[in-house]
């Protein structure tokens, strides 16, 4: 389902809404059109979001603990890095995203990520190579969104846990937890499963409360902003407005 970007009157980015709802709000004058591509609407009022819980020096959950943070892109890393550091974690970033297609898009996101982590002094571990063929083999026959995202999360978090265990990290987590477009329950389930398998912890946190801060930091650092989640299926859905799992998509006939 196509989602539309929603801003409040201060330009604060809110959770996206379905296309149908956005069109209805525009028609009823309850929102103004900011731009057509990507479709963005603005509400005539400001929305206050609850801040994340304050972290006191004594209660820092990450104090003295190391975490390997799987990073899906520069923008999503901004708030997550700050938040984990604020909680006392010793944070190292980890790049492994064979789900980003095509290669030029992968490189664009990687370059933006690398520039950002350099600017905030974050140590990183990067998996060499581009395992796009592995990703495509894995999801072949499971292209419906829920199925392929499950496999995609598992592939990336499994590798994160493996590297974390090898390098002696206490915990893993992922910037995917910040996005309202991702399935947080599924991420938690898979994160805990792979972490158990490799004898590390999965640090779950609802980073979504930092979504608008992520938008602010992304603009401030002029980071590359992708227009679709990553895989060729999400690119197709984004531009064709079609659900890959719908009977019309033709995927079922493959
Ligand atoms: S939509 Fe995003 S999370 Fe789902 S499979 Fe594609 S790249 Fe992975």
């Amino acid at each position: 389902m196509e989602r539309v970007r929603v801003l409040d009157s201060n330009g604060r980015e809110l959770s996206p809404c379905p296309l149908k709802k956005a069109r209805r709000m525009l028609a009823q004058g309850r929102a103004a059109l900011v731009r057509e591509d990507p479709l963005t609407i603005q509400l005539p009022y400001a929305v206050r979001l609850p801040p994340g819980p304050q972290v006191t020096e004594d209660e820092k959950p990450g104090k003295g603990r190391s975490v390997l943070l799987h990073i899906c892109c520069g923008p999503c890393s901004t708030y997550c890095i700050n938040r984990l550091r604020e909680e006392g974690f010793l944070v190292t970033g980890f790049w492994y995203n064979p789900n980003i297609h095509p290669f030029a898009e992968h490189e664009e996101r990687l370059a933006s990520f690398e520039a950002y982590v350099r600017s905030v002094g974050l140590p990183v571990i990067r998996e060499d190579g581009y395992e796009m063929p592995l990703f495509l083999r894995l999801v072949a026959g499971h292209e419906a969104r829920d199925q392929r995202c499950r496999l995609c999360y598992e592939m990336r978090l499994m590798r994160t846990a493996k590297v974390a265990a090898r390098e002696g990290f206490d915990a893993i987590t992922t910037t995917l937890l910040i996005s309202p477009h991702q399935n947080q329950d599924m991420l938690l389930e898979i994160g805990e499963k792979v972490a158990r398998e490799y004898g590390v912890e999965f640090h779950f946190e609802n980073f979504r409360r930092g979504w608008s801060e992520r938008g602010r930091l992304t603009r401030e650092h002029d980071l590359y902003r992708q227009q679709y989640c990553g895989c060729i299926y999400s690119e197709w859905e984004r531009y064709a407005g079609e659900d890959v799992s719908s009977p019309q998509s033709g995927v079922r006939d493959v």
Side-chain angles (χ1 to χ4, degrees), residues 99-101 109 135 139 143-153 156 176 181-182 228-235 237:
N99 59 306
I100 301 174
H101 314 150
R109 295 189 198 186
F135 174 89
V139 302
E143 291 85 359
R145 183 160 181 143
D146 269 10
Q147 290 178 36
R148 72 171 193 267
C149 293
R150 173 173 284 281
L151 294 165
C152 178
Y153 295 161
R156 292 187 280 167
L176 291 165
H181 303 288
Q182 306 297 343
Y228 56 95
C229 186
C231 62
I232 43 174
Y233 307 105
S234 62
E235 192 257 7
E237 287 167 344

Side-chain angles (χ1 to χ4, degrees), residues 139-212:
V139 302
H142 310 282
E143 291 85 359
R145 183 160 181 143
D146 269 10
Q147 290 178 36
R148 72 171 193 267
C149 293
R150 173 173 284 281
L151 294 165
C152 178
Y153 295 161
E154 204 163 54
M155 181 183 198
R156 292 187 280 167
L157 292 182
M158 181 83 82
R159 186 67 64 92
T160 310
K162 186 176 177 186
V163 171
R166 187 187 72 206
E167 303 293 328
F169 285 88
D170 298 312
I172 61 165
T173 190
T174 173
T175 56
L176 291 165
L177 290 169
I178 199 173
S179 171
H181 303 288
Q182 306 297 343
N183 184 331
Q184 228 180 41
D185 292 339
M186 198 186 276
L187 282 165
L188 173 61
E189 179 204 323
I190 293 170
E192 287 188 332
K193 188 187 87 170
V194 299
R196 239 188 341 266
E197 268 174 48
Y198 282 94
V200 291
E201 243 178 76
F202 181 68
H203 175 72
F204 174 81
E205 182 161 347
N206 186 4
F207 290 132
R208 282 186 192 170
R209 46 169 72 91
W211 182 249
S212 58

Side-chain angles (χ1 to χ4, degrees), residues 4-249:
V4 174
R5 289 182 68 212
V6 182
L7 309 177
D8 77 354
S9 60
N10 293 330
R12 181 193 290 268
E13 184 135 8
L14 307 173
S15 297
C17 78
L19 179 62
K20 247 188 183 169
K21 184 175 173 189
R23 293 274 181 224
R24 198 169 55 238
M25 291 172 78
L26 287 172
Q28 294 171 345
R30 292 193 289 128
L33 180 66
V34 177
R35 70 180 67 89
E36 276 288 355
D37 192 17
L39 185 58
T40 307
I41 62 171
Q42 188 161 33
L43 305 178
Y45 51 86
V47 174
R48 283 190 177 280
L49 296 173
Q54 290 299 306
V55 182
T56 65
E57 199 51 43
D58 293 341
E59 295 166 347
K60 285 188 168 180
K63 205 170 182 176
R65 298 171 65 223
S66 57
V67 66
L68 189 61
L69 170 66
H70 166 260
I71 294 178
C72 63
C73 63
C76 288
S77 75
T78 53
Y79 170 83
C80 300
I81 293 168
N82 288 353
R83 178 67 185 167
L84 289 167
R85 283 176 162 175
E86 187 190 16
E87 291 175 318
F89 282 103
L90 301 163
V91 190
T92 298
F94 179 60
W95 180 270
Y96 176 63
N97 297 298
N99 59 306
I100 301 174
H101 314 150
F103 181 62
E105 176 75 15
H106 177 271
E107 294 302 284
E108 183 107 43
R109 295 189 198 186
L110 175 60
S112 173
F113 150 83
E114 285 184 327
Y116 181 69
V117 292
R118 253 197 317 276
S119 75
V120 294
L122 187 83
V124 292
I125 298 175
R126 195 189 131 187
E127 284 292 77
D128 285 335
Y130 178 52
E131 297 184 346
M132 176 269 286
L134 270 187
F135 174 89
L136 289 182
R137 265 181 246 152
L138 193 68
V139 302
H142 310 282
E143 291 85 359
R145 183 160 181 143
D146 269 10
Q147 290 178 36
R148 72 171 193 267
C149 293
R150 173 173 284 281
L151 294 165
C152 178
Y153 295 161
E154 204 163 54
M155 181 183 198
R156 292 187 280 167
L157 292 182
M158 181 83 82
R159 186 67 64 92
T160 310
K162 186 176 177 186
V163 171
R166 187 187 72 206
E167 303 293 328
F169 285 88
D170 298 312
I172 61 165
T173 190
T174 173
T175 56
L176 291 165
L177 290 169
I178 199 173
S179 171
H181 303 288
Q182 306 297 343
N183 184 331
Q184 228 180 41
D185 292 339
M186 198 186 276
L187 282 165
L188 173 61
E189 179 204 323
I190 293 170
E192 287 188 332
K193 188 187 87 170
V194 299
R196 239 188 341 266
E197 268 174 48
Y198 282 94
V200 291
E201 243 178 76
F202 181 68
H203 175 72
F204 174 81
E205 182 161 347
N206 186 4
F207 290 132
R208 282 186 192 170
R209 46 169 72 91
W211 182 249
S212 58
E213 178 67 358
R214 167 203 182 275
R216 194 189 66 72
L217 289 167
T218 298
R219 286 189 293 278
E220 184 181 308
H221 292 269
D222 197 22
L223 301 180
Y224 173 69
R225 272 170 272 185
Q226 61 266 19
Q227 299 300 313
Y228 56 95
C229 186
C231 62
I232 43 174
Y233 307 105
S234 62
E235 192 257 7
W236 181 16
E237 287 167 344
R238 163 71 179 80
Y239 292 109
E242 198 170 320
D243 181 351
V244 164
S245 49
S246 77
Q248 290 78 28
S249 71

